[in-house]
């Protein structure tokens, strides 16, 4: 195999990583909330009903911003149902997931959950612009953020939360371009309601940060026109536009699946181009940043079964979308993280969808254990070591042929330089069969040794962590990677996610 090469030079950077790039997402969907993060009867539950075994894993995962309460769920959400004495809260039909929502876990519990994670955890609240609109958004903002002395801020205090929640980051709806969304709108309709809501929210507090809905995927028929129309209405009123993307092998095409980040990178670049086009037309100096607030590997067949199902038995916290991820999935997932880091100049928020049980890095059993999926490891490592300046990495790599993306590099990589000058290289070898030799030239970087090379790879790419074998897959050390005379040399195992730390 030909050697893959790139050069690192601190003079050539992409931008600073925003900690919000390592966000996640908690939706009232399946068992993400109930028996996921919240299970009052669980042996590990704290006084607020939160599972402390899950909290520990969430801290280890290193998540920052957590988007809530949906997703598709939010488009039927009545925030008033989710506050006040828990045993008086109404049970409601959740149209998005054909489930019954008890509202036992609500706004106050969400904020308590974030506090328990630690100071790095920040709220990102989604608003219902499906069945509701400006008035309800303002009421929620007043309830959540106004200090005191008004009906809704005093109601919050009466509910036991004297201090305002201080929610800065708000999503103006969810996937409003999708016909599956309750209250789905055209771009014109949505652009208008998003602008009205944003304008009114800024009347309460001009410092809120607002995310307008972009497309639910790059494949949507309205993609790009949607963004252009929505931004024409909202450009001066919002800070971010959202992107969502999920990947899975289609028709058994594993080679294209391994190259999913090619689509993610082009999606980001196309949205940046659209934002800047609208900005140019408006002669604006302002730049709209990107909130990639749903991304993951997702085997979607079960979702389509829910959509098609005529059975409406409205279960409570059913097992839904509990994908169990393989080593191969984790390698693709790592590559998606690399794609986000490579665009850290414009992607300033990203949320791994989701956090627990539902297409998640953490799985739990009701009354039982919680454990790490294969995808847990790339996320935890990227969040831990991917802080600082992203260096501009341009690879010269052997390639392979894919049906969807044509000739594609086998190596996908990025590198982040921390404040102390140390550098971490994140690299994926997409080859299913071949080891990939790697050489990195280090220019102007005072680095002398390899502190660690960790790899996630396995002789069985289908290996996974399950209830019975929760530690079957973990990253392993690679010992023969060297740094001599400014050149890093190593070999990447077939189908592997690699973290190489240089000091
Ligand atoms: O994350 C699962 C679902 O995917 C979300 O509810 C929705 O926004 C998206 O379609």
């Amino acid at each position: 195999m030909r050697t893959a090469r790139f050069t690192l030079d601190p003079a050539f950077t992409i931008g600073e990583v925003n900690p919000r790039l390592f966000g996640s997402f908690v939706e009232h969907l399946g068992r993400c909330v109930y028996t996921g993060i919240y299970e009052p009867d669980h042996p590990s539950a704290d006084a607020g009903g939160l599972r402390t075994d899950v909290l520990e894993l969430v801290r280890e995962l290193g998540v920052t911003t957590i988007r809530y309460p949906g997703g598709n769920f939010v488009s039927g959400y009545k925030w008033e149902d989710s506050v006040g004495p828990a045993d008086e809260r109404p049970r409601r039909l959740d149209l998005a997931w054909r489930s019954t929502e008890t509202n036992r876990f609500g706004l106050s519990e969400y904020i308590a959950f974030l506090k328990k994670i630690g100071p790095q955890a920040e709220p990102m609240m989604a608003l219902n612009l499906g069945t509701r609109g400006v008035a309800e958004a303002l009421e929620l903002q007043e309830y959540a953020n106004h200090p005191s002395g008004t009906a809704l801020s005093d109601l919050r205090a009466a509910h036991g939360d004297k201090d305002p929640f201080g929610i800065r980051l708000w999503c103006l709806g969810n996937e409003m371009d999708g016909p599956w969304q309750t209250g789905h709108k055209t771009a014109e309709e949505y652009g208008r309601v998003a602008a009205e809501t944003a304008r009114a929210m800024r009347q309460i507090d001009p410092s809120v940060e607002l995310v307008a809905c972009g497309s639910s995927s790059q494949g949507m028929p309205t993609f790009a026109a949607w963004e252009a129309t929505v931004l024409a209405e909202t450009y001066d009123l919002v800070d971010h536009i959202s992107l969502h993307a999920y990947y899975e092998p289609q028709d058994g095409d594993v080679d294209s699946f391994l190259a999913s980040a090619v689509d993610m990178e082009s999606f980001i670049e196309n949205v940046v181009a659209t934002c800047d086009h609208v900005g140019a037309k408006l002669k604006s100096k302002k730049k709209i940043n990107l909130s990639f607030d749903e991304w993951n590997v997702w085997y979607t067949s079960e979702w389509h079964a829910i959509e098609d199902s005529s059975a409406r038995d409205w279960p409570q916290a059913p097992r839904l979308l509990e994908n169990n991820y393989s080593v191969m999935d984790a390698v693709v997932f790592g590559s998606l993280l690399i794609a986000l880091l490579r665009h850290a100049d414009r992607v300033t928020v990203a949320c791994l969808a989701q956090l627990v049980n539902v297409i998640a890095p953490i799985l739990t059993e009701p009354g039982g254990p919680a454990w790490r999926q294969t995808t847990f490891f790339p996320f935890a490592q990227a969040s831990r070591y991917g802080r600082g300046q992203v260096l501009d990495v341009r690879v010269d790599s052997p390639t392979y042929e894919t049906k969807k993306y044509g000739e594609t590099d086998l190596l996908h990589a990025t590198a982040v330089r921390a404040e102390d000058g140390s550098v971490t290289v994140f690299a994926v070898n997409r080859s299913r069969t071949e080891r990939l030799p790697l050489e990195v030239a280090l220019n102007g970087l005072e680095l002398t040794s390899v502190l660690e090379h960790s790899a996630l790879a396995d002789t069985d790419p289908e290996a996974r962590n399950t209830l019975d074998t929760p530690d079957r897959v973990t990253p392993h050390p690679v010992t023969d990677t060297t740094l001599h005379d400014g050149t890093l040399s190593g070999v990447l195992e077939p189908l592997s996610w690699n973290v190489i730390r240089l000091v």
Side-chain angles (χ1 to χ4, degrees), residues 55 62 104 113 115 117 124 130 134 152 211 239 287 413 438 496:
L55 274 170
R104 284 291 171 138
F113 172 63
K115 284 196 181 134
I117 295 170
M124 180 182 196
V134 187
L152 291 172
V211 184
D239 305 282
K287 290 277 184 227
L438 173 69
S496 61

Side-chain angles (χ1 to χ4, degrees), residues 126 172 227 300:
L172 299 168
E227 280 78 357
T300 51

